Amino acid sequence: MTAQIIDGKAFSAKVREKVAAHVAKLKDEHGITPGLAVVLVGEDPASQVYVRSKGQKTVETGMNSYEHKLDVDTSEADLLALIDQLNNDPDVHGILVQLPLPKHLDEDLVINSISPEKDVDGFHISNVGLLGTGQKSMVPCTPLGCLMMLREHHGSLSGLNAVVVGRSNIVGKPMAQLLLGDSCTVTIAHSRTKDLAEVVRRADIVVAAVGRPEMVPGDWIKEGATVIDVGINRIDAPEKGEGKTRLVGDVEFASASERAGAITPVPGGVGPMTIACLLANTVTACCRANGVPEPEGLTA
């Protein structure tokens, strides 16, 4: 068996098209333009790339982009004051504080200072609680992207046996809640799970989000299973030359693709969906704030 490749890059383009269409509808029918504010503290190179890409994609879909770049030594009080200002700005419907933050800033305090209705990352404790109890919430972008791809591939997920390898607050736990919401039977596994290989082999759906390069080998995968690889790990690639690296996922792609029915590649799988879902969440937040019907297919 050779697995079908789930092309996250192509699917994310479809999601952004839906976002752009709904943004145009909001402008034409209601005179509303969704706005996303991104806050970057410091000059972390990777964070700068992410923020630049988010801003570009936001504008491309017709939304307003507001970027706030702060010095690395910005005080907690000043950062919280900016967030309070954005919370009270009616033109801002989504707020994202780029992580990680400098060590002198309390990430939990900062994230929980964002209005839950504008928390487009879905990290606020209120959104975590709402998601966990099956209520309407802002959903974390990466798990939402995984869910969208699974729904597209399978149609109904009802009754399928899903294993999430990884228990982080950002991916593993919310992913499990979303799969439960779609009536999967869900197991959360991790690096200390006993007989992890056997647990994974029972799964119709495997979501790998453990952060260890190629931790899940192909012989752990059930024949015909769907594999969603969230991992993005950089490893040495001496075959490319001295000092060169390459990106791999948490799943050993070559061997897993011989057994899986469908699989996401790394790169080009889950990664592009994260920004697409950030844009989708901003539109959803805008609609909720203005009492306008939400677009179908852009949230859980």
Side-chain angles (χ1 to χ4, degrees):
M1 173 181 291
T2 301
Q4 175 186 341
I5 302 300
I6 300 176
D7 188 339
K9 190 173 181 180
F11 190 69
S12 68
K14 291 182 185 178
V15 173
R16 293 197 307 273
E17 286 177 9
K18 287 183 182 178
V19 168
H22 207 78
V23 169
K25 185 177 180 181
L26 285 170
K27 290 179 179 180
D28 292 343
E29 297 182 5
H30 304 281
I32 303 167
T33 302
L36 172 63
V38 178
V39 179
L40 174 64
V41 184
E43 298 180 354
D44 178 78
S47 293
Q48 288 181 321
V49 171
Y50 293 147
V51 167
R52 186 162 55 247
S53 179
K54 288 168 182 173
Q56 179 185 356
K57 294 290 193 296
T58 301
V59 172
E60 285 176 358
T61 53
M63 292 192 282
N64 290 328
S65 175
Y66 308 101
E67 292 185 10
H68 297 268
K69 297 180 179 180
L70 307 179
D71 291 338
V72 68
D73 57 356
T74 295
S75 70
E76 198 163 78
D78 286 345
L79 176 55
L80 294 176
L82 172 60
I83 292 172
D84 185 59
Q85 174 189 325
L86 297 173
N87 283 338
N88 291 291
D89 187 341
D91 292 329
V92 173
H93 304 98
I95 302 170
L96 180 149
V97 177
Q98 184 66 44
L99 303 178
L101 289 171
K103 294 188 183 301
H104 69 283
L105 300 172
D106 183 334
E107 287 191 357
D108 289 337
L109 176 64
V110 170
I111 294 303
N112 289 319
S113 71
I114 299 171
S115 170
E117 295 80 12
K118 296 188 178 187
D119 167 38
V120 286
D121 258 340
F123 294 164
H124 192 288
I125 190 65
S126 294
N127 283 317
V128 173
L130 289 168
L131 178 62
T133 51
Q135 300 180 67
K136 183 183 288 186
S137 67
M138 297 306 301
V139 180
C141 301
T142 299
L144 178 57
C146 296
L147 182 70
M148 285 182 179
M149 290 192 289
L150 285 167
R151 285 174 171 172
E152 172 82 3
H153 180 71
H154 284 279
S156 172
L157 305 182
S158 180
L160 296 179
N161 189 358
V163 170
V164 180
V165 186
R167 51 183 167 173
S168 72
N169 292 330
I170 293 174
V171 180
K173 292 175 184 175
M175 187 75 248
Q177 295 291 351
L178 290 173
L179 290 166
L180 280 171
D182 270 30
S183 298
C184 288
T185 300
V186 182
T187 300
I188 301 180
H190 44 81
S191 60
R192 297 188 183 181
T193 298
K194 289 184 178 179
D195 299 322
L196 178 58
E198 289 305 313
V199 171
V200 175
R201 284 191 188 107
R202 293 195 294 269
D204 303 305
I205 294 170
V206 178
V207 180
V210 74
R212 295 191 181 184
E214 300 181 324
M215 175 181 163
V216 179
D219 63 5
W220 288 14
I221 304 300
K222 175 183 176 181
E223 288 279 354
T226 301
V227 178
I228 304 293
D229 192 347
V230 182
I232 301 178
N233 310 286
R234 192 169 290 280
I235 64 171
D236 292 336
E239 71 278 5
K240 290 185 173 183
E242 187 176 348
K244 297 293 185 180
T245 60
R246 61 187 177 95
L247 291 177
V248 298
D250 291 350
V251 176
E252 193 177 84
F253 181 82
S255 59
S257 61
E258 293 177 0
R259 294 177 61 84
I263 189 170
T264 58
V266 177
V270 174
M273 287 298 296
T274 300
I275 291 182
C277 289
L278 171 67
L279 303 177
N281 277 351
T282 303
V283 171
T284 297
C286 177
C287 291
R288 291 175 181 174
N290 289 279
V292 175
E294 298 173 26
E296 291 186 8
L298 291 184
T299 189

